[in-house]
């Protein structure tokens, strides 16, 4: 029986682009393009199985070995520090981690700064490096609302085009971390399926150089 390679893809536009790269790398799975709500697709002939998972969950599937490889944002890898190999920077899904506030916010550095974010660990590390005392509020989404409603002084969040900040009258205070998508692998399975994974890695690297 052929060894199956299990791949966790982030659901969404980035995941679709990534799938196209895997297809080019010699791992097509035509059924994935059918418009239905299935989450698992396999092509036994070439030995690949794809799962669509929430982007922030990819690293969990890979860390636990349910997926051999996957694609996760550097933001998730820094925030949750999963025990996986980070194989390569795919140079896609580029964005930044940034601090933002209302335009008229005046920072009084003698006061504790109230920070709302989904990325608690990244925010803590950033302010620790600045020697700044903060009070962290963990939110799950729509972070931009927090300073507007007075819940926080600033937010630490992902900025891609900047449209969300602009439309909510917030400004970037500091863009401090570039983010992009990374190919990750389960540590044990990387050894068992090394040849296969390295082959894909090389093809994806070649494709990223071509763009
Ligand atoms: C992210 C981020 C911002 C937005 C930034 O949200 O949290 O809200 O994208 O993109 P922009 O600079 O291009 O406007 P996401 O869509 O991941 O959803 P979320 O609300 O769950 O964080």
């Amino acid at each position: 029986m052929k060894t199956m390679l299990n791949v966790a893809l982030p659901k969404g536009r980035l995941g679709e682009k990534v799938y196209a790269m895997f297809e080019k790398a010699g791992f097509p799975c035509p059924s994935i393009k059918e418009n239905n709500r299935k989450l698992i697709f396999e092509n036994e002939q070439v030995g690949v199985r794809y799962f669509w998972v929430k982007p922030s969950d990819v690293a969990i599937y890979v860390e636990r070995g349910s997926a051999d490889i996957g694609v996760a944002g550097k933001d998730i890898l820094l925030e949750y520090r999963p025990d996986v190999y980070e194989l390569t920077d795919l140079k896609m899904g580029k964005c930044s981690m940034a601090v933002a506030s209302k335009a008229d916010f005046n920072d009084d550095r003698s006061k504790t700064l109230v920070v709302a974010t989904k990325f608690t660990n990244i925010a803590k590390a950033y302010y620790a490096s600045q020697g700044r005392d903060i009070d962290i509020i963990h939110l799950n989404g729509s972070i931009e609302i927090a300073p507007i409603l007075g819940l926080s002084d600033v937010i630490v969040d992902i900025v891609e085009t900047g449209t969300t900040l602009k439309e909510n009258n917030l400004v970037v205070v500091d863009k401090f971390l570039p983010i992009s998508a990374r190919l990750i692998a389960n540590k044990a399975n990387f050894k068992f399926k090394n040849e296969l994974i390295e082959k894909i890695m090389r093809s994806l690297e070649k494709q990223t150089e071509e763009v």
Side-chain angles (χ1 to χ4, degrees), residues 1-160:
M1 217 177 67
K2 216 181 167 101
T3 314
M4 290 295 273
L5 185 75
N6 296 298
V7 184
L9 293 174
K11 227 194 284 180
R13 225 158 36 92
L14 172 70
E16 280 162 25
K17 277 196 203 160
V18 171
Y19 166 72
M21 292 171 83
F22 275 82
E23 194 174 55
K24 264 195 175 173
F27 294 85
C29 185
S31 59
I32 207 168
K33 291 189 174 159
E34 287 163 14
N35 196 13
N36 58 35
R37 307 196 71 167
K38 264 178 72 170
L39 298 171
I40 303 182
F41 297 89
E42 67 177 57
N43 181 347
E44 264 197 85
Q45 262 174 343
V46 297
V48 71
R49 189 181 291 125
Y50 293 103
F51 326 125
W52 288 121
V53 307
K54 224 176 133 89
S56 50
D57 288 340
V58 167
I60 300 173
Y61 284 90
V62 174
E63 181 177 38
R64 300 264 177 170
S66 304
D68 302 311
I69 56 174
V71 171
K74 185 68 180 172
D75 51 335
I76 300 298
L77 302 178
L78 288 170
E79 179 64 23
Y80 300 105
R81 303 223 165 257
D83 191 16
V84 297
Y85 289 135
E86 189 181 315
L87 299 180
T88 195
D89 183 351
L90 297 176
K91 302 187 175 137
M92 312 163 66
K94 284 190 183 175
C95 52
S96 307
M97 192 62 71
V99 178
S101 72
K102 289 204 313 195
D104 60 0
F105 173 65
N106 274 317
D107 191 5
D108 177 351
R109 289 189 64 89
S110 66
K111 282 194 185 150
T112 300
L113 188 71
V114 184
V115 182
T117 187
K118 242 188 330 195
F119 302 95
T120 314
N121 294 326
I122 292 176
K124 279 185 190 162
Y126 169 76
Y127 284 107
S129 76
Q130 311 224 329
R132 185 75 195 267
D133 277 338
I134 59 166
D135 177 8
I136 267 228
I137 300 175
H138 182 267
L139 294 176
N140 294 300
S142 301
I143 319 291
E144 291 83 1
I145 294 177
I148 300 167
L149 300 184
L151 181 67
S152 73
D153 297 320
V154 298
I155 61 171
V156 168
D157 199 15
I158 283 170
V159 180
E160 193 183 347

Side-chain angles (χ1 to χ4, degrees), residues 178-193:
I179 308 284
S180 58
R182 309 296 160 102
L183 179 69
I184 58 172
N186 174 272
K187 286 190 168 173
N189 299 0
F190 182 68
K191 291 194 188 87
F192 298 137
K193 303 183 184 177

